[in-house]
Amino acid sequence: MSMQDTASSGVALWRLVADGIERGIADGRFAAGDKLPGEMEIAETYRVNRHTVRRALAALAERGLVRAERGSGTYVEAQRLAYPLRSRTRFSEIVGADGREPHGRLIEASDDVATRELARELGLKAGAPLVRIETIRLADRTPICVSTTWLSAELFPGAGNVFAATRSMTKLLEHYGVRDYSRGATRITAGIVDATDAARLDLPLGRPILVVDATDHDLAGKPLVTKHSRFAAERVEFLVENG
Amino acid sequence: MSMQDTASSGVALWRLVADGIERGIADGRFAAGDKLPGEMEIAETYRVNRHTVRRALAALAERGLVRAERGSGTYVEAQRLAYPLRSRTRFSEIVGADGREPHGRLIEASDDVATRELARELGLKAGAPLVRIETIRLADRTPICVSTTWLSAELFPGAGNVFAATRSMTKLLEHYGVRDYSRGATRITAGIVDATDAARLDLPLGRPILVVDATDHDLAGKPLVTKHSRFAAERVEFLVENG
DNA sequence: CCAAGTTGTCTATGATACTAGACAACTTGA
DNA sequence: TCAAGTTGTCTAGTATCATAGACAACTTGG
C-alpha cells in the first residue's frame, strides 16, 4: 500500500485527508473556531501516518482555513458566500448582503469568432465576429469567480472598450440601447480548475469549480450575451429558489 | 521539477492531463466519436512525457470516456445527462427523456437524531428522532447520484419500511396522507467525493461532485423531508430555468 | 507494397510521497 | 511543579510518479 489510496486515483493521500477535513468544515461538522481532533486521532480515522495528516493540515493552513497552535491544537477559520441564482440579482448586491466588499476587474478583452456552440447560443452563424471579455469578481480580497462573456461584434461594436470604461455589463447594454434583459436557462456543472483559472482565482490546482453557462436575452427573446463562469466551489454556495 | 505541477497541489500530473482532456470532452472541444490528438502531441501541449499522457488516457479509457485503437488513434465516447432543476420533475422522467432507463435502490434506512442544522430545516427541535434513508439512482447502469433523506420519525413512523416497500418518496408521503408538496430553496455547491460515496457512485477518489441540499414542504409551507444529494459531476449537467 | 504515423511494451533512473520511529518544544489542567 | 497531550522537527526506508529512450505492432494513405 504505502502511497495512494487503494484505487490509485492520482490524488495524493494528504490531499484526500485535506479534502475530508475541508468537507467537515464546509458542512458544519467543524464550525469556525472549533478545535480539530489531534493529529494522531485524524491519522487513525483516515488510517494514515501522522506526517501525512501534518501535510494535509499544512495545506489547509496555507489557504487560511485552519490555524495550528503549538502544544494546544489546530483550529478552524472559514465560511462560504451564499449566492442566490436569480434572474436579476447583481454580484455586488450578493456580496454586500454578506457584509463584504465586492470588486470586479477586467482581465482582458479581445476579438474572437463564434464556434458552432457559441453561434447557436447567440443566434448567429458559425464564424461570426465576437467580442470576448474576461472578468474576475472578488469579495473583499478573495476571488470568487472568473467569467468569459461573448457578444456579437456587429451588434455591439467596440464593446470591449465600453466595458473597460463602465465596468458593468448592464451599463454596456444600456449604451447600445438595451433597456432591460433577462437571463435564460442556466446550466450548472462542476469540474476541476485548470492552470489559468487557478492562477486567477488564487486556487491550488486540482480544486473543484462550479461552472455556470448562461445566455441573456432581451424582452423579445433575442440572445444578447452568453457567459461561461467558473466559481471557486469552496468559496460559494448557490441558492436556487424554484416554485 | 520532474513530478507534480509547480505548486505541488497533491494531484498527480497524469491526473491533471486526464482532467484537461475530460474538460475538453465535456465542453465540446472534443465531440463524441472525435479522434484525440496523438499521444506525442498531447505530451507537447501539456509539456509532459508521453508515458504520462498514456497513463492519463488509460485512466480515461478505464472509465469508458475514450477508446484507444492501436495504430490509428484514441477516440472519444461520452456525454452528460441533462438534469433540469424544477419543482416537480421526477428523476425517472429526466432519465427517460434522455432515452435511458432509470433505476433506484435503497441502500440503507436507519434511525437518527436531529442535529441543530437538520432540526432547523425540518422545523423540529435538536435531538428530535428522525428516519434517515440512503438511496442511489442510476441511468441505465451508471450511478448518477446518492441521496440522504431525513424525515421526522414522529410524523412518519416506520417511514423506512414504507420506503423500502414503495421505493418512492412521493408514494411514501401519500401513505401518510400528504397529497401534494413542493420543493423549497435548493442549495448547490461542489466538492470532492469521499470514499463511501466514491464506492457507491463507482467513481474514482478525488472526482468532483455536485452537492444539492433541498427541503420539501407541504402546501401550507410546513417542512416534510430534507435531502442531501451528491451527484457525479462528470455525469450530469444541471439546468436551471429562472424567470 | 511502402512510408509515415499511430498505440503498445520494455528497461532504466531520479524525484517525490508515504510510512515509521524518536525526540524536542510548548500548552493545559491537576 | 508535574504529567499528559499537543504541535514541530529530525532521520530513514520503501513504493510510486515522472522522465527518457528504444523498439514492436498496427493502421492508414499514397
Side-chain angles (χ1 to χ4, degrees):
Chain A
M1 253 243 262
S2 84
M3 184 181 178
Q4 299 294 1
D5 50 290
T6 49
S8 192
S9 63
V11 182
L13 253 185
W14 66 263
R15 184 60 135 72
L16 294 180
V17 174
D19 288 339
I21 295 171
E22 189 180 351
R23 188 183 162 104
I25 293 171
D27 67 20
R29 281 206 310 282
F30 305 124
D34 276 10
K35 177 176 169 177
L36 290 181
E39 292 172 353
M40 271 305 204
E41 190 177 336
I42 297 176
E44 280 165 19
T45 63
Y46 284 93
R47 311 271 178 106
V48 126
N49 193 278
R50 177 175 158 242
H51 293 91
T52 306
V53 172
R54 283 184 61 69
R55 174 141 199 193
L57 290 174
L60 294 175
E62 197 176 5
R63 287 174 42 215
L65 262 74
V66 302
R67 167 183 36 84
E69 287 186 7
R70 184 173 187 157
S72 171
T74 305
Y75 301 84
V76 178
E77 32 191 1
Q79 67 178 357
R80 274 184 168 147
L81 177 68
Y83 199 101
L85 289 177
R86 274 192 293 257
S87 187
R88 288 159 213 274
T89 314
R90 301 268 195 89
F91 179 80
S92 55
E93 292 170 10
I94 293 170
V95 173
D98 203 54
R100 301 164 77 179
E101 199 175 344
H103 296 281
R105 216 170 55 232
L106 172 66
I107 300 174
E108 186 195 358
S110 65
D111 295 328
D112 203 351
V113 292
T115 62
R116 220 169 39 236
E117 297 287 312
L118 285 172
R120 185 162 49 75
E121 284 295 326
L122 289 171
L124 303 171
K125 287 180 184 170
L130 298 179
V131 176
R132 184 175 60 87
I133 299 175
E134 206 88 23
T135 55
I136 184 167
R137 294 171 197 276
L138 308 88
D140 289 340
R141 287 183 195 165
T142 307
I144 300 297
C145 80
V146 290
S147 297
T148 309
T149 307
W150 284 276
L151 313 85
S152 162
E154 289 174 345
L155 270 65
F156 306 98
N161 296 331
V162 177
F163 185 86
T166 61
R167 295 185 159 213
S168 155
M169 193 54 62
T170 305
K171 286 178 186 163
L172 183 152
L173 291 174
E174 267 176 15
H175 181 271
Y176 292 96
V178 178
R179 292 233 204 98
D180 200 3
Y181 61 94
S182 71
R183 170 148 300 185
T186 303
R187 298 181 303 153
I188 306 172
T189 186
I192 300 291
V193 72
D194 69 13
T196 310
D197 287 348
R200 289 171 176 168
L201 290 171
D202 191 20
L203 210 58
L205 281 168
R207 306 297 311 156
I209 51 172
L210 284 158
V211 181
V212 178
D213 288 280
T215 303
D216 290 336
H217 305 261
D218 67 12
L219 298 185
K222 185 171 141 193
L224 298 170
V225 303
T226 187
K227 272 187 201 179
H228 177 71
S229 304
R230 290 86 71 197
F231 288 75
E234 63 206 36
R235 295 174 195 152
V236 295
E237 178 176 74
F238 288 156
L239 302 176
V240 185
E241 31 233 85
N242 34 20
Chain B
M1 256 242 259
S2 85
M3 183 181 178
Q4 298 294 359
D5 49 292
T6 50
S8 191
S9 63
V11 181
L13 250 186
W14 65 262
R15 184 61 135 73
L16 294 180
V17 175
D19 288 339
I21 295 170
E22 189 181 351
R23 188 182 163 104
I25 294 172
D27 66 19
R29 282 205 309 282
F30 305 124
D34 275 11
K35 177 175 169 177
L36 291 180
E39 292 172 353
M40 271 306 203
E41 190 177 338
I42 297 177
E44 279 165 20
T45 62
Y46 284 94
R47 311 271 176 107
V48 126
N49 193 279
R50 178 176 157 241
H51 293 92
T52 307
V53 172
R54 284 185 59 70
R55 174 139 201 192
L57 290 174
L60 294 176
E62 197 176 5
R63 287 175 40 214
L65 261 75
V66 303
R67 166 183 37 84
E69 287 185 9
R70 184 173 186 156
S72 171
T74 305
Y75 301 83
V76 178
E77 33 189 0
Q79 63 179 1
R80 278 185 162 143
L81 177 68
Y83 200 103
L85 289 177
R86 275 192 292 256
S87 188
R88 289 159 213 272
T89 314
R90 302 267 194 88
F91 179 81
S92 55
E93 292 169 11
I94 293 169
V95 174
D98 204 54
R100 301 164 78 178
E101 199 175 345
H103 297 280
R105 216 169 56 232
L106 173 66
I107 299 175
E108 186 195 358
S110 64
D111 296 328
D112 203 352
V113 293
T115 62
R116 219 168 43 236
E117 297 287 313
L118 285 172
R120 185 162 49 74
E121 283 296 328
L122 288 171
L124 304 171
K125 287 180 182 169
L130 298 179
V131 176
R132 184 175 60 85
I133 299 175
E134 206 88 24
T135 56
I136 183 167
R137 294 171 197 276
L138 308 89
D140 290 338
R141 287 182 195 166
T142 307
I144 300 297
C145 80
V146 290
S147 297
T148 309
T149 308
W150 285 274
L151 312 86
S152 163
E154 289 173 347
L155 270 64
F156 306 98
N161 296 331
V162 176
F163 186 86
T166 61
R167 294 186 160 211
S168 154
M169 192 54 63
T170 305
K171 287 178 186 163
L172 183 152
L173 292 173
E174 268 175 16
H175 181 271
Y176 291 97
V178 178
R179 293 233 205 97
D180 200 4
Y181 62 95
S182 71
R183 170 147 300 184
T186 303
R187 298 181 303 152
I188 305 171
T189 186
I192 299 292
V193 71
D194 68 14
T196 310
D197 287 349
R200 290 171 175 167
L201 289 172
D202 190 21
L203 210 58
L205 282 168
R207 305 298 310 157
I209 51 173
L210 284 158
V211 180
V212 178
D213 289 280
T215 302
D216 289 337
H217 305 261
D218 68 11
L219 298 185
K222 185 171 141 194
L224 298 169
V225 304
T226 188
K227 273 187 200 178
H228 178 71
S229 305
R230 290 85 72 198
F231 288 75
E234 64 206 37
R235 295 176 195 152
V236 296
E237 178 176 75
F238 289 156
L239 301 175
V240 185
E241 32 234 83
N242 35 20

